[in-house]
Amino acid sequence: MRIVIVGHVDHGKSTLIGRLLYDTNSISKEKIAQVLEVSEKQGKGLEFAYILDALEEEQDQNITIDTTQIFFKTGKRDYVIIDAPGHKEFLKNMVSGASYAEAAILIVDAAEGVKEQTKRHAYILSLLGVRQILVAINKMDSVGHSQEKFGQVKKKLSMFLDKLELMPSEVIPISASRGDNVAKHSQNTPWYNGPTILEALDSLIKTRELEDRPFRLPVQDVHKFDGKRVIVGRVESGHVKQGDAVCFSPSGGISRVKSIEVYGKKPSRAEAGESIGITLEDQIFVDRGEVASHESEKPTVTQSIKTNVFWMGKEPLSVGKRYLLKLTTQEVSCTVSTVLRRINSSTLETVEENSQKLFDTEVGELILLTRKPIAVDLFDIVPTLGRFVIVDAHRVAGGGIITEIVQEEIIIKDLRAAECPFTYEHAKPLIEHIKRGQTIEILVTNLPAVETIGRLAFEHNLEFNFRREEDYIKLTVKAPAEG
Ligand code: GDP
């Protein structure tokens, strides 16, 4: 099971990881001796947080080890802690889905209580659909193992989590450094009858049974050898069998699976999580970025999606600017047509509606338009096809999930604050939308843009309306009425 440990800085994430590794015997005696030596030099007892540092140092010297994964196991199953807290890339990996968590431990310092990052991390968990959450109220030793203090922090946190519709399966009073209620029930909290962290982890269910969801194979590559073409990718959900009719989206090509190939073997079936190659009965054109599915359960092909995006770009996200959207192996240029809501990710308050920008650490409800059709699913149905990242100037600047497919409704393109005037480049994706029956409203403040859009409407034989609003111009462009 893949888990993530989140919480405010210094609330004890690294210490809890060290403790979990130590108590499950997941770390060598030599390493412990080494950590103890460092701790003692600083006049401390074994400092559990250093276990993580020691592992990271080791990993730095050996770049082949995945630095973002830490393993431990209980009698019941294996766990992977994805990413290390404090990593600069932590938030980014979380929102980009580079490391997907099935469950999370949210850690809160009993003395400090709920802090900004506690809230922000909880919000990101809810945004990314991580629904299984354990809360660890840490450093109980520092508040004299007070049941009252525990109750206060628990109440305050629950109020916040309620708003996010996050229901923690357990709220556990712990001391990560002393080991209270982590692997062993503590004598210090006789008032607590619930499970330890390890017991609570073991009772979580493996939620995302990706195997039971519709079959999706995003194409990574197409290799040609011995006159045959092998389509390579990872089965993200569902399963596929030899002989199945498969469909490729967005292109729409259809064929049957002639063979499945995995390292020289030819299994008759493959399922979620496996990297495979397939050959087809017909020579249809398939390229990287296509998504294979069964005909009866295809992903949606669209150019406009409603999304929740967490922004972490240095530059604010701005309406009308071109970005690169990456969704599985699909990469397509996109623009944001509307920021419906800007939300402060720690207070959850709406900062502004119908905004032009989205700033660092904010969450936005946005309508995204892609220049080319893409194959997507709603996040709740197929998580991997419902999650994407936004790249700005070669850096991941945002990540989010698809909450709705926007179809046949008015797309409002607000260019009032756009730094550059409306150009033909802006227009191309819009023309596609219009041809598919959508109406576009374009809000501008400068007359040259009106001329550009008017000319465009003329060239493409579109209906074009002009209306002056208070201090801007509203242009409506749509396909001409039939007849
Ligand atoms: P992180 O930033 O969330 O990873 O926090 P750390 O694990 O680095 O812990 C921050 C500080 O809190 C360190 O000095 C730890 O020794 C201390 N700490 C962690 N857990 C406990 C605990 O259970 N009790 C007490 N008293 N201190 C703790």
Side-chain angles (χ1 to χ4, degrees), residues 7-16 44 47-49 52 85-86 107 109 138-142 174-179:
H8 198 73
V9 61
D10 278 348
H11 281 196
K13 296 176 294 292
S14 314
T15 308
L16 179 61
K44 299 180 184 167
E47 184 66 51
F48 286 91
L52 192 64
I107 189 162
D109 185 321
N138 188 32
K139 309 196 192 177
M140 285 304 296
D141 55 295
S142 73
I174 68 164
S175 164
S177 56
R178 298 179 188 213

Side-chain angles (χ1 to χ4, degrees), residues 310-325:
F310 181 86
W311 192 251
M312 52 198 163
K314 268 194 242 146
E315 296 283 319
L317 169 142
S318 51
V319 163
K321 186 175 166 193
R322 169 95 27 105
Y323 297 101
L324 182 70
L325 181 134

Side-chain angles (χ1 to χ4, degrees), residues 291-302:
V291 180
S293 69
H294 288 129
E295 256 250 274
S296 55
E297 287 184 313
K298 287 191 284 194
T300 308
V301 174
T302 182

Side-chain angles (χ1 to χ4, degrees), residues 152-285:
Q152 282 167 4
V153 177
K154 177 175 168 175
K155 188 164 164 217
K156 187 136 184 250
L157 184 66
S158 302
M159 269 162 45
F160 181 77
L161 296 181
D162 270 358
K163 285 199 241 169
L164 300 175
E165 293 174 21
L166 285 178
M167 289 261 297
S169 2
E170 300 290 343
V171 182
I172 308 173
I174 68 164
S175 164
S177 56
R178 298 179 188 213
D180 293 330
N181 297 327
V182 177
K184 290 185 288 274
H185 288 271
S186 166
Q187 308 287 323
N188 297 321
T189 51
W191 44 267
Y192 175 73
N193 305 318
T196 61
I197 294 278
L198 288 183
E199 286 167 352
L201 281 174
D202 278 350
S203 61
L204 295 175
I205 27 172
K206 280 209 62 101
T207 37
R208 309 219 159 263
E209 292 298 356
L210 292 169
E211 158 67 9
D212 298 332
R213 309 213 178 205
F215 164 59
R216 299 288 183 260
L217 173 75
V219 176
Q220 256 155 31
D221 224 331
V222 179
H223 298 304
K224 294 181 196 104
F225 50 93
D226 293 347
K228 64 179 183 183
R229 286 154 48 106
V230 183
I231 296 164
V232 181
R234 195 178 110 108
V235 182
E236 293 293 354
S237 57
H239 63 264
V240 63
K241 297 192 300 297
Q242 193 185 354
D244 280 357
V246 288
C247 173
F248 290 86
S249 302
S251 70
I254 296 174
S255 184
R256 275 187 192 280
V257 178
K258 190 168 171 191
S259 66
I260 301 175
E261 324 219 334
V262 183
Y263 296 114
K265 293 202 196 89
K266 295 202 172 179
S268 56
R269 186 181 184 281
E271 60 180 43
E274 290 183 72
S275 288
I276 62 170
I278 55 173
T279 61
L280 300 175
E281 284 181 2
D282 311 284
Q283 288 290 330
I284 58 170
F285 181 75

